[in-house]
Amino acid sequence: MRHRVLPALCGALIATALAAQPALADLAARPTSPPAAPSPSSLADPSPSAAPSASSASSTPAAPGRSGRAAVRAAGDQPYASYWHPNTILNWDPGTDPDARFNRSRVPLRPRASDPALKANPNARAGESKVASLVSFGPTSANPSQGSLDPNYYAFTYWQYIDTLVFWGGSASEGLILAPNATVIDAAHRNGVKVYGTVFFPPTAYGGQIQWVRDFAQKSGSNYPVADKLVQVAQHYGFDGWFINQETAGGDAALATEIRSLMKYARAKGQVEFMWYDAMTESGSVAWQDALTTANDAFLSDPARVSDSMFLDFGWGAGDLGSSRDLARSLGRDEHELYAGIDTEANGYNTGVSWDAVFPAGQPHVTSLGIYRPEWTWKSSSGPADFRTRDSRYWVGANADPSNTATSSSWKGLAHYIAESTAVTAKPFVTGFNTGHGDFYNVGGARVRAGGWNNLSVQDVPPTYQWVVNSTGTRLTPSIDYGDAYEGGSSLRLTGKLDAANTVRLYQAKLPVTADTKLSVVVKTPAAGPTHLKAAVAFTDAPGTFTTFDLGSTSGTGWERKTLDLSAHAGKTIAQLGLRAEGSAASYDIRVGQLAVYDGAVDAPAAPSGLQVLGTTDVSPSRKSLRLAWTAAGPGSGQVHHYDVYRRNADGSRTYLGATPNDAYFVPQLDRAGAETSTTIEVEAVSTEYGRSAAATATVAWSGEPGEENRALGRPATASGQCNANEGPAKAVNGSVTGGNSDKWCTLTADRWLEVDLGEARSLTRFVVRHAQAGGESAAFNTRDFTIQVRSAASEEWKTAVTVTGNTAATTTHPVTLTARHVRLSITKPTQNTDSAARIYEFEAWGK
């Protein structure tokens, strides 16, 4: 894509100047963090000063299928999404790639529906423009296959407004071809959204080599070997197609013809789609058209279908899109197979867009819309709450209400133009309002894990309407609450003054009702008594009219299930699911932990079998990472939604290690409990109705005696704040200082503190603090004055163990003799000068 170089900004310096992250110049300068795919614009070509070095740009990957990653890896190491250069993908074999099994999605693409009568916004149109979202979830070489132990992640929850997600990435130094990881495929498919991988040929200023393009289009007889691999990868991993972005100069008409032939060849080989980016023309030169023209239309049809769609570069105007529509129609193609691109990487919803050119008021949409880098909402945020606020404004507008997008801003939100689609089209339908990340994990309302995590594979289908509340009085406030959950790390919460009926529309649906259909709602109230809440159901014969079912009262303050019989409505089809609060309460507060529609009894699936430990890696004498695999549950009474993975504790309780719909899982952190010699691992199947099977078990052995080690490593960490989404407290206990400027905890709060829960009381011998200079920043940013406090229980007062004033060193070591479970770093003067940002690359607590 056409590029501009964005200024490199560190969130520790200016918290509000983060819209440009990650900047190319900054990324290129990091020795351990290769450059990501350049950011596009319609302005100028990239500055060579920001390009990778010539040596790194022309490097040859060491290991097939994992370009740029060491060929020799321990058996229990972290698996990553696959990436290649054109010649290295030819060597890829899922049978020999140890990461391949962990990158498979088992979630099929769900069908979607969109009822124009149920659109939230009167201006929106259904069945016309589609939306493609190009998202970079991480650097090309660093996309974990199955989530990680960091809650700070782009956990997207507005799937109802997009149709295709492009897993954006690729770089000269890492690999040009990037396959999506399993978690993104799982979440997208569960919402009826297609997923594409990326093939990126960068400009020569970013290390691009025309030979790579020729390698890509090479032939063997009548076959295109790279195309065969693209089809194999997509089918094996379970995604839907490829986005091809060819921006390397030096091509000719013959090469352009071969690329078109390659796409036709691949499409004929299997169910794989292609989206072509408007850069290379039919002559072979790179010349952005900002439209479908006679210079590039052969990449759409020549005259047979070549690509399934085309992403038009960002310089278009109304005339360009109008002529593009007309040309597409003359080729026998739908104008909505053209995606007018907008670039929001740098400025998000502050980006100027000619909305009327794509979506003229009161008229059919001219083309579809392609969005480049909507994850600006996460990258530019100061933390999780700020991310969610920004994401809401981006997708549904400034009022956090897709039915009301009135604003003085030119950015009204995508809900203003695009009618919601729903994947709630088959039973059973179960949601715990789990967004796929959080600070803890609950199962059945019980806390089974402390500490942050992200895993989009277990994300539930988010509410279709976020948020539409109809009330004749004070409007209640719905929200996703991250303080409690029934399943996962979040729940739905309704708060506010209740002085009139409030109808909260949640899901558009298409669910047939039979004689044994049930509607189940799990709720939690601050005190026993009336819930003042009813389940609200609308049927397709009157989709805007709700029938309500009273949820009655609660008997306590825990989670309680209310099961309702829908048999009186057998033969009808549910069109909407919602909630209605009625009554009077000055301070209404209720959580909804699960909403489910299913038939008959809750099914329990058959158990998995053959659980085996594929390999382990010793992180320390008391910590391992490991790879697990099992035989999927056979046919039983319930279809499997996912598998939960636990460790069995000495007291009989279990600790949650993670989950996947797959038959293999990577456990990033298994901690030894005391001096135990073995740990039992359990895997149980969870049905689509959330019934649970018996567990399969395996054992992991420990050797030697526990010794002194960093007990803070990977433990749950909290802080007074963070400078941006990339600089949360988890970065201070991740064991790394070499990941660049974002490999740290940073805060600008007035009261600066970082706390770590060691899990149990530990005998500690020393603290080590690695300050700004340890991570490569200026010595002027090293922490000057700070204290370290400890306590053995959350109910105790903090006791000061270490006091430091006047420090100038990059790394400080502080011997102690004490026992503590909770440790706290409090910073009173964060730098050597007047800069107010605290920067801590690692906070270590050593002991037994």
Side-chain angles (χ1 to χ4, degrees):
M1 295 190 174
R2 265 189 281 189
H3 314 87
R4 65 168 168 267
V5 175
L6 304 171
L9 298 174
C10 174
L13 297 176
I14 307 174
T16 59
L18 299 167
Q21 287 192 344
L24 290 170
D26 185 39
L27 289 173
R30 300 177 187 174
T32 59
S33 204
S39 53
S41 78
S42 298
L43 301 178
D45 288 338
S47 165
S49 64
S53 66
S55 59
S56 67
S58 59
S59 61
T60 300
R66 290 187 303 279
S67 169
R69 197 175 301 287
V72 178
R73 304 169 67 216
D77 279 1
Q78 167 73 61
Y80 290 92
S82 298
Y83 53 98
W84 308 268
H85 284 76
N87 278 338
T88 61
I89 197 174
L90 297 177
N91 300 320
W92 180 76
D93 180 344
T96 58
D97 179 356
D99 288 2
R101 187 168 185 174
F102 299 86
N103 282 310
R104 300 192 76 176
S105 171
R106 305 290 185 171
V107 180
L109 180 66
R110 291 188 64 89
R112 295 212 297 184
S114 182
D115 186 346
L118 295 177
K119 63 184 182 181
N121 195 287
N123 184 74
R125 301 177 74 93
E128 295 183 11
S129 179
K130 293 179 170 50
V131 177
S133 181
L134 279 61
V135 178
S136 173
F137 287 88
T140 297
S141 59
N143 282 284
S145 302
Q146 298 175 314
S148 70
L149 300 182
D150 188 347
N152 291 310
Y153 193 72
Y154 182 58
F156 178 62
T157 58
Y158 293 92
W159 299 99
Q160 64 270 37
Y161 299 112
I162 74 170
D163 300 270
T164 302
L165 184 140
V166 177
F167 196 81
W168 179 256
S171 72
S173 59
E174 298 167 286
L176 308 178
I177 303 169
L178 174 63
N181 64 13
T183 56
V184 170
I185 305 170
D186 290 341
H189 279 187
R190 195 170 285 126
N191 286 276
V193 173
K194 293 180 178 179
V195 182
Y196 289 178
T198 302
V199 180
F200 175 62
F201 296 104
T204 53
Y206 286 90
Q209 300 176 22
I210 194 61
Q211 185 57 47
W212 283 335
V213 186
R214 299 190 188 283
D215 292 343
F216 179 74
Q218 64 186 282
K219 292 186 74 173
S220 176
S222 60
N223 299 326
Y224 289 89
V226 174
D228 287 333
K229 286 297 181 181
L230 294 181
V231 172
Q232 183 186 15
V233 169
Q235 292 181 343
H236 186 78
Y237 287 160
F239 61 95
D240 308 283
W242 295 93
F243 182 97
I244 300 186
N245 179 8
Q246 200 308 85
E247 293 186 81
T248 306
D252 53 27
L255 181 57
T257 299
E258 289 297 342
I259 292 176
R260 296 198 299 275
S261 297
L262 177 150
M263 286 190 284
K264 289 190 289 186
Y265 168 88
R267 290 181 64 257
K269 293 279 290 186
Q271 296 296 317
V272 61
E273 299 178 357
F274 288 96
M275 181 178 286
W276 177 258
Y277 170 60
D278 158 34
M280 187 184 207
T281 62
E282 294 158 32
S283 70
S285 64
V286 175
W288 299 269
Q289 302 297 297
D290 304 311
L292 182 68
T293 72
T294 55
N296 64 11
D297 61 355
F299 286 98
L300 195 66
S301 298
D302 70 350
R305 177 182 287 260
V306 176
S307 62
D308 296 273
S309 55
M310 183 181 290
F311 189 104
L312 307 179
D313 195 53
F314 312 114
W316 46 263
D320 299 305
L321 298 189
S323 64
S324 297
R325 173 194 58 201
D326 295 343
L327 181 52
R329 289 176 175 176
S330 73
L331 296 172
R333 301 296 295 270
D334 188 334
E335 63 266 31
H336 301 115
E337 293 169 347
L338 302 177
Y339 290 77
I342 63 172
D343 174 10
T344 68
E345 180 187 28
N347 294 310
Y349 45 65
N350 300 310
T351 303
V353 177
S354 299
W355 295 108
D356 288 344
V358 192
F359 307 127
Q363 300 178 46
H365 295 161
V366 179
T367 65
S368 289
L369 185 72
I371 305 176
Y372 183 78
R373 308 299 293 276
E375 79 277 12
W376 170 89
T377 57
W378 175 65
K379 298 272 187 173
S380 66
S381 70
S382 60
D386 187 38
F387 156 55
R388 291 187 280 273
T389 298
R390 288 170 180 258
D391 220 31
S392 173
R393 182 177 173 188
Y394 189 103
W395 292 97
V396 303
N399 304 314
D401 180 352
S403 68
N404 176 16
T405 50
T407 175
S408 59
S409 171
S410 61
W411 189 284
K412 300 182 185 303
L414 273 296
H416 184 77
Y417 311 100
I418 305 296
E420 297 82 3
S421 293
T422 181
V424 184
T425 55
K427 293 178 294 182
F429 167 66
V430 180
T431 176
F433 304 97
N434 178 15
T435 62
H437 69 156
D439 296 316
F440 58 87
Y441 203 95
N442 283 5
V443 171
R447 186 67 46 89
V448 291
R449 173 183 165 76
W453 61 277
N454 70 79
N455 183 359
L456 294 185
S457 287
V458 294
Q459 183 190 69
D460 291 319
V461 175
T464 311
Y465 307 105
Q466 299 179 51
W467 302 97
V468 176
V469 181
N470 299 319
S471 176
T472 57
T474 305
R475 208 168 159 265
L476 291 177
T477 300
S479 65
I480 299 297
D481 177 67
Y482 291 84
D484 202 354
Y486 185 71
E487 292 284 343
S490 52
S491 57
L492 174 67
R493 191 176 189 181
L494 302 179
T495 57
K497 181 180 180 181
L498 180 61
D499 56 17
N502 275 254
T503 301
V504 183
R505 295 173 63 187
L506 291 176
Y507 289 94
Q508 188 181 146
K510 194 174 182 181
L511 301 176
V513 179
T514 63
D516 62 350
T517 299
K518 305 289 194 303
L519 172 61
S520 175
V521 187
V522 176
V523 296
K524 190 174 192 179
T525 54
T531 62
H532 298 298
L533 194 64
K534 298 179 179 181
V537 181
F539 301 98
T540 52
D541 55 352
T545 302
F546 284 96
T547 300
T548 60
F549 304 82
D550 198 339
L551 299 183
S553 298
T554 56
S555 59
T557 58
W559 291 106
E560 296 185 24
R561 183 180 298 277
K562 309 295 183 179
T563 301
L564 307 165
D565 184 359
L566 298 185
S567 62
H569 303 278
K572 293 185 177 183
T573 298
I574 296 173
Q576 289 195 81
L577 291 167
L579 298 167
R580 180 173 292 168
E582 295 179 351
S584 178
S587 183
Y588 187 67
D589 188 355
I590 191 167
R591 286 182 172 89
V592 180
Q594 190 181 84
L595 178 66
V597 180
Y598 57 95
D599 293 337
V602 172
D603 292 330
S609 60
L611 176 62
Q612 58 179 318
V613 179
L614 299 179
T616 66
T617 296
D618 290 330
V619 179
S620 75
S622 296
R623 177 170 296 172
K624 298 178 185 289
S625 61
L626 55 147
R627 295 184 176 205
L628 305 173
W630 55 87
T631 300
S637 56
Q639 184 180 3
V640 173
H641 181 271
H642 68 270
Y643 298 88
D644 280 337
V645 183
Y646 299 89
R647 65 155 291 153
R648 181 65 68 174
N649 301 317
D651 62 2
S653 66
R654 298 193 299 180
T655 298
Y656 177 84
L657 299 177
T660 179
N662 204 345
D663 60 5
Y665 185 68
F666 170 73
V667 177
Q669 182 175 310
L670 178 68
D671 286 330
R672 187 178 191 177
E676 66 179 352
T677 57
S678 65
T679 302
T680 298
I681 305 297
E682 300 183 353
V683 175
E684 65 182 24
V686 181
S687 77
T688 51
E689 295 179 353
Y690 275 71
R692 289 182 160 82
S693 75
T697 63
T699 301
V700 176
W702 300 94
S703 60
E705 293 294 325
E708 185 193 46
E709 56 189 274
N710 177 15
R711 296 296 178 176
L713 180 65
R715 296 300 307 167
T718 55
S720 56
Q722 58 194 73
C723 293
N724 64 45
N726 285 328
E727 296 176 339
K731 292 293 182 70
V733 291
N734 68 354
S736 169
V737 298
T738 59
N741 288 348
S742 64
D743 193 12
K744 66 174 180 291
W745 167 63
C746 166
T747 188
L748 285 158
T749 54
D751 184 21
R752 307 168 186 86
W753 55 263
L754 171 72
E755 293 179 13
V756 184
D757 181 354
L758 306 182
E760 60 182 304
R762 297 284 190 178
S763 297
L764 301 180
T765 57
R766 59 191 165 103
F767 293 103
V768 177
V769 185
R770 304 188 188 278
H771 308 274
Q773 191 180 9
E777 296 190 65
S778 169
F781 296 149
N782 287 338
T783 317
R784 186 171 179 84
D785 301 339
F786 59 93
T787 62
I788 299 174
Q789 298 171 300
V790 299
R791 62 186 181 185
S792 292
S795 59
E796 295 181 1
E797 295 292 326
W798 289 104
K799 297 178 181 178
T800 300
V802 175
T803 300
V804 175
T805 58
N807 172 61
T808 60
T811 299
T812 56
T813 300
H814 313 281
V816 294
T817 301
L818 55 86
T819 299
R821 171 174 173 171
H822 304 274
V823 296
R824 175 181 174 123
L825 175 67
S826 296
I827 297 172
T828 50
K829 186 169 179 50
T831 62
Q832 308 297 308
N833 50 36
T834 58
D835 189 284
S836 60
R839 303 164 176 83
I840 301 297
Y841 278 78
E842 283 296 303
F843 179 39
E844 302 169 3
W846 289 80
K848 294 186 177 181

